[in-house]
Amino acid sequence: SPTIQQIQGAGHRSPLEGDWVRGVEGVVTAVDADTRRGGFWMQQVGGPETELDARSAGIYIHQPAPEVVPGDVVRVDGGVRENGFGSDLTVTRLVAGRVDPIASGASLPAAVIIGAEGRLPPAQVIDDDGMQRFEPCCDGIDFYESLEGMRVRVNRPLVVGGTSRYGEIAVVPDGGEHAGPRSPRGGIVLGPGDANPERILLQERLTPDPPSVGVGALLAAPVSGVLDYSFGNFKLLVENWPADSGSPEAVSERTTLPPTALSVASYNVLNLDPGDGPEAFARLAGTIVEGLGSPDLLGLQEVQDDTGPTDDGITAAGRTLDLLAEAIVAAGGPRYGFRQIDPEDNADGGQPGGNIRVAWLFRTDRLRWLDRGTAGATDSVDVRTTPAGGVELTLSPGRIAADHPAFAGDPVRGWEGGRKCLAGEAIFQGRRLFLINCHLKSKRGDDGLFGGVQPPVFGSETQRTAQVSEIGGIVERVLTADPDAAIVVLGDMNEHDFRPPMQLLAGNRLENLTLRLPTAERYSYNYQGNSQLLDHILVSPALAARTEGARIAHLNADLPDDQRASDHDPVLAWFVLD
């Protein structure tokens, strides 16, 4: 009759994997509310053999329709299994052949405190040895594995990732005392070599209806529950949600732009389509008018067609963009025109039927778009010299390398067809602007930070690298013909500034203006509590020398899902061209 700790072992897989064990005793700590799985958690009576034992004293028992309640003491016969999906870690469990009751009404084991009053999680390293050594003291992935299936508690949980549509809230213990680097709102910022393993995901699997809270909120009471693992992350399944402490007072994000300056912004508008309804358009328009100060140029990403995810063959997005332009006027903003190119049906990735694309909005009262040619979905823009010795694009607007495998897809390399960059030209105060709006390949398919492959493999970087090579080629040809050309490359790059694709793009004589910001403010997106930078504005030397300001307007990323206009923060820069 092995103990639960002997089954769990000091590692990510059980030393008894595949064995049939008998008479394993424990007290039931929680019953799985997910009836598709069927089972319960139990913990070794008396808890771990030592306070800092690396072996977990809790385990999941798979048993359809279990007839147990928390506090029951049971004896289990079953097979030791490791269950996992893809490159995720596995979860040690017993597939019960027999569950015998011993007693009922027992006190639940005391929860292990994650934090300064108990076990302090590593604050920087998830894994640094390819999982060759099991080091709960130093590696975050091993730290949480040593608590798998056990009751744990987080004192003074500070929210670093707002309530998601999956019912998850990311927190750090002790009011964030040992977490960092911190953002001005109280989040923690992802950086090179620091993926912030001190983050803890609270999940609603045992208790539904979590409070709607944003980054910086301090929950009113400690949270306790069972530590589980699913979808690439360890998660604390909360027993009882504390009362909503509310998010901290919102920081004003109003922007007033200099009237003589050229202002340019990038904004991912989260699969915008008419089906989102007037409230969604009004909320988005408010962030553009108030939060961004109605910039002269606005590069949008994730614009869907006029029927949204309905897969009906429609690819036009004129109504989507018209509704946004009208909402901006209704919010007190100026009239915007727009330019975009309809994709081929279901050829550009994103939500099936939505025909996602990028688009340019421009203020018709301050800027003139230069239309040249009539480009279709598969026509690619190029650079040419003019009879007067200048330089221009062959199409405006036009797509960059529309037929290149990096954008069109390549089954041999496992590349999906995706959003094509949209290039064009405009005139502001007599100055020609070269504009490139991007939405690069997503990170979907990459190994998770807490996955079974360490270090994680970010396979999608290969396609993004090929994409930025094509973008950089256009930039280089323009600058070769005119070193003083004013070029703006912006968008949701789906990439961090310190990773190779962004470094390669900046190497094409471009400056990433987001890097002028303090490190703590370099984030435009929050994923599972990691505030991170995915949206960028890069400019050529002529504009870099004339940059008057740059900022990321933190309008969305710090908020819970039900309160924000998008899941991305817009990025803004302005220039004096005199």
Side-chain angles (χ1 to χ4, degrees):
S1 299
T3 65
I4 294 175
Q5 285 194 291
Q6 289 170 339
I7 295 171
Q8 284 280 13
H12 288 271
R13 302 186 77 101
S14 170
L16 303 181
E17 181 180 355
D19 290 353
W20 184 269
V21 294
R22 301 180 184 275
V24 182
E25 292 189 9
V27 56
V28 177
T29 54
V31 178
D32 198 349
D34 189 340
T35 56
R36 296 170 301 172
R37 304 177 187 236
F40 60 93
W41 288 266
M42 74 176 189
Q43 194 162 321
Q44 191 170 301
V45 176
E49 296 172 9
T50 66
E51 177 62 23
L52 297 179
D53 201 316
R55 302 172 300 166
S56 170
I59 197 167
Y60 186 84
I61 310 299
H62 177 69
Q63 183 191 37
E67 297 180 358
V68 296
V69 296
D72 286 350
V73 181
V74 297
R75 183 179 293 117
V76 179
D77 297 346
V80 181
R81 301 288 185 269
E82 293 284 348
N83 289 84
F85 300 93
S87 62
D88 287 354
L89 294 175
T90 59
V91 176
T92 306
R93 58 181 60 190
L94 287 181
V95 178
R98 179 171 179 170
V99 178
D100 293 323
I102 298 176
S104 60
S107 298
L108 298 186
V112 174
I113 296 174
I114 298 180
E117 298 176 51
R119 303 187 189 183
L120 196 64
Q124 186 172 14
V125 175
I126 291 180
D127 178 82
D128 60 1
D129 53 38
M131 297 180 69
Q132 296 302 303
R133 297 184 300 275
F134 193 68
E135 300 175 317
C137 65
C138 313
D139 293 354
I141 199 167
D142 299 337
F143 174 85
Y144 294 109
E145 176 70 26
S146 72
L147 299 170
E148 178 190 273
M150 293 178 63
R151 292 190 72 237
V152 299
R153 187 177 83 196
V154 178
N155 293 334
R156 297 177 59 220
L158 177 74
V159 176
V160 295
T163 310
S164 77
R165 65 182 182 274
Y166 304 111
E168 296 177 351
I169 302 172
V171 301
V172 290
D174 307 315
E177 183 179 345
H178 303 283
R182 303 288 297 281
S183 75
R185 295 286 183 86
I188 46 178
V189 180
L190 177 76
D194 186 1
N196 300 311
E198 65 267 41
R199 297 169 293 120
I200 301 165
L201 286 181
L202 311 181
Q203 215 274 345
E204 65 171 356
R205 186 164 153 194
L206 296 181
T207 308
D209 301 323
S212 178
V213 290
V215 171
L218 187 66
L219 298 187
V223 287
S224 299
V226 174
L227 191 69
D228 191 46
Y229 181 94
S230 62
F231 298 102
N233 259 298
F234 291 96
K235 299 172 184 178
L236 194 167
L237 311 183
V238 176
E239 297 168 340
N240 289 291
W241 291 104
D244 179 3
S245 302
S247 297
E249 183 178 351
V251 178
S252 175
E253 286 288 357
R254 183 186 296 267
T255 296
T256 301
L257 294 167
T260 59
L262 166 70
S263 51
V264 182
S266 175
Y267 203 171
N268 181 314
V269 292
L270 188 58
N271 287 321
L272 185 67
D273 75 84
D276 293 336
E279 183 179 348
F281 280 86
R283 181 180 288 182
L284 192 61
T287 62
I288 292 170
V289 174
E290 298 292 331
L292 296 178
S294 302
D296 298 314
L297 277 159
L298 190 57
L300 302 181
Q301 302 87 43
E302 291 200 19
V303 175
Q304 290 197 347
D305 66 37
D306 293 339
T307 58
T310 302
D311 196 358
D312 52 9
I314 291 175
T315 63
R319 183 163 177 261
T320 302
L321 292 165
D322 277 335
L323 287 174
L324 179 57
E326 293 295 337
I328 292 172
V329 172
R335 172 65 61 180
Y336 280 90
F338 60 83
R339 294 292 185 273
Q340 61 93 40
I341 295 175
D342 295 332
E344 293 184 306
D345 191 30
N346 283 325
D348 279 19
Q351 191 174 14
N355 290 306
I356 198 172
R357 85 286 309 274
V358 302
W360 282 106
L361 264 60
F362 59 94
R363 286 186 56 159
T364 56
D365 60 333
R366 288 172 55 86
L367 184 143
R368 178 169 61 93
W369 189 272
L370 292 178
D371 289 297
R372 187 177 303 114
T374 305
T378 58
D379 297 319
S380 298
V381 69
D382 206 346
V383 178
R384 68 189 178 198
T385 55
T386 66
V391 60
E392 66 182 15
L393 301 178
T394 56
L395 297 168
S396 177
R399 301 177 122 193
I400 292 179
D403 58 352
H404 190 280
F407 292 103
D410 183 349
V412 175
R413 284 180 273 197
W415 291 355
E416 299 175 331
R419 292 80 52 167
K420 280 69 175 178
C421 301
L422 189 67
E425 294 177 38
I427 299 293
F428 179 83
Q429 295 178 355
R431 181 69 184 264
R432 184 189 300 264
L433 308 173
F434 294 88
L435 309 168
I436 300 176
N437 183 357
C438 310
H439 188 187
L440 302 187
K441 169 71 176 72
S442 75
K443 292 181 175 292
R444 187 179 62 180
D446 288 355
D447 291 332
L449 295 177
F450 280 94
V453 177
Q454 296 293 334
V457 176
F458 304 133
S460 64
E461 279 190 356
T462 304
Q463 187 171 353
R464 283 193 296 279
T465 298
Q467 290 175 334
V468 300
S469 294
E470 294 304 308
I471 299 165
I474 294 291
V475 170
E476 190 63 35
R477 289 197 288 278
V478 172
L479 288 177
T480 297
D482 179 7
D484 196 39
I487 304 175
V488 178
V489 180
L490 56 71
D492 174 5
M493 306 298 186
N494 272 312
E495 192 57 274
H496 309 129
D497 60 275
F498 51 84
R499 297 299 302 178
M502 289 308 300
Q503 293 177 337
L504 176 63
L505 182 58
N508 290 103
R509 290 190 271 177
L510 298 175
E511 180 184 345
N512 190 339
L513 297 181
T514 57
L515 300 187
R516 293 191 180 190
L517 302 174
T519 301
E521 296 180 17
R522 293 181 198 165
Y523 68 95
S524 60
Y525 188 76
N526 190 301
Y527 183 65
Q528 297 177 337
N530 259 332
S531 296
Q532 53 197 279
L533 184 58
L534 298 181
D535 304 81
H536 307 263
I537 296 179
L538 299 92
V539 296
S540 60
L543 283 180
R546 295 171 173 83
T547 302
E548 189 173 80
R551 69 186 297 248
I552 300 171
H554 298 301
L555 303 167
N556 301 308
D558 291 321
L559 299 178
D561 265 7
D562 61 358
Q563 296 180 27
R564 58 195 188 184
S566 173
D567 55 349
H568 285 249
D569 288 332
V571 184
L572 175 69
W574 55 100
F575 315 88
V576 176
L577 302 185
D578 294 341

